[in-house]
Amino acid sequence: ASIFFPLKFLASLLPFNCPLLLSACLQVSPDRSQFFRYDSVSLTCEDRLNATGWKVRRRTLSRGVTSCSPGWGATSSGSTCIIGNTYPKDSGVYWCESEGGERSNEVNITITVILESPAMPVSEGAAVVLHCKAQTNRSQHKYNFFKDGRIIRSNCSGEMTILRASRSDEGLYTCSASGLGESEGSWLTVLGDGNDQQIHVHMIGVIGVHKCTKM
């Protein structure tokens, strides 16, 4: 007799960074969904069935739906697309698509002054380290971390650690630094039971990671 498992159970057996039960998964390197202007981004279609024909596609406000092409990306192999220098017009939804029309997970990529975070969910039980960072190098700041609009921690190091992530840690995170303002939001998703591991969430905006000498 055939044995059927719920989709959520099967998805939990997959690697934490590709939680959906799909033939292919879009992997983003560096592993985040928000980037500064002029950053380099690599987009790869990882195919579990070793099939061919997967291509990176995207949907943007300026150009609609397009496949990886010299107009915005360079194909280093059939399933990898590299954006050498990102611009605000590259903001949009990215995914992998096969010749037969199958689609992978979608990743929403934003090019702006940013809050940097992993593009994929983290495993339940993982240690998540959050850092506030900035393009400018300023000292003597007090850092505040927020979840869903409520302050959850303040310190002078610009670092916050969630020792073992759980579903209750899911939410929208932001951070701020005295005198410099607040970052954009980063949604943290926690899925399944995972092995011990450490995930770094780098929050980047008009803020910095520096010890304050006096408050």
Side-chain angles (χ1 to χ4, degrees):
S2 299
I3 300 176
F4 296 94
F5 295 95
L7 180 58
K8 286 186 177 180
F9 170 76
L10 292 174
S12 69
L13 300 179
L14 300 174
F16 78 94
N17 58 352
C18 192
L20 301 180
L21 190 61
L22 299 169
S23 297
C25 179
L26 176 62
Q27 297 284 8
V28 182
S29 180
D31 181 22
R32 61 182 195 259
S33 61
Q34 298 184 27
F35 296 86
F36 283 123
R37 183 191 293 260
Y38 308 129
D39 276 349
S40 177
V41 184
S42 177
L43 305 154
T44 302
C45 299
E46 293 194 352
D47 180 14
R48 298 188 181 91
L49 302 179
N50 295 319
T52 58
W54 289 94
K55 293 183 178 180
V56 176
R57 305 198 76 192
R58 74 177 188 180
R59 180 174 63 253
T60 61
L61 290 176
S62 61
R63 299 186 60 184
V65 177
T66 56
S67 297
C68 182
S69 62
W72 58 269
T75 304
S76 62
S77 67
S79 59
T80 297
C81 182
I82 297 174
I83 305 176
N85 293 287
T86 56
Y87 296 92
K89 66 180 181 180
D90 292 311
S91 296
V93 179
Y94 290 72
W95 69 90
C96 299
E97 191 167 319
S98 70
E99 294 177 347
E102 292 182 276
R103 293 175 62 146
S104 71
N105 59 308
E106 294 184 344
V107 175
N108 195 338
I109 290 178
T110 304
I111 315 300
T112 181
V113 175
I114 64 170
L115 164 60
E116 182 185 283
S117 66
M120 299 294 180
V122 301
S123 294
E124 192 171 30
V128 182
V129 183
L130 295 85
H131 297 279
C132 281
K133 288 191 173 181
Q135 291 176 299
T136 57
N137 185 16
R138 299 181 181 180
S139 60
Q140 298 186 0
H141 298 305
K142 179 180 180 180
Y143 298 89
N144 295 318
F145 291 86
F146 302 84
K147 177 178 179 288
D148 299 327
R150 299 181 63 181
I151 188 168
I152 56 175
R153 193 168 302 177
S154 297
N155 60 40
C156 297
S157 66
E159 180 175 299
M160 171 183 160
T161 301
I162 302 172
L163 294 178
R164 295 185 64 84
S166 66
R167 293 297 180 88
S168 64
D169 293 311
E170 287 191 336
L172 185 67
Y173 287 80
T174 59
C175 62
S176 67
S178 57
L180 293 178
E182 187 171 337
S183 71
E184 293 188 8
S186 176
W187 185 268
L188 178 67
T189 301
V190 183
L191 293 178
D193 293 321
N195 299 322
D196 289 339
Q197 53 192 311
Q198 190 172 67
I199 306 297
H200 284 79
V201 180
H202 296 283
M203 297 185 168
I204 299 184
V206 289
I207 45 188
V209 185
H210 311 288
K211 292 185 178 180
C212 44
T213 58
K214 184 178 181 180
M215 286 295 111

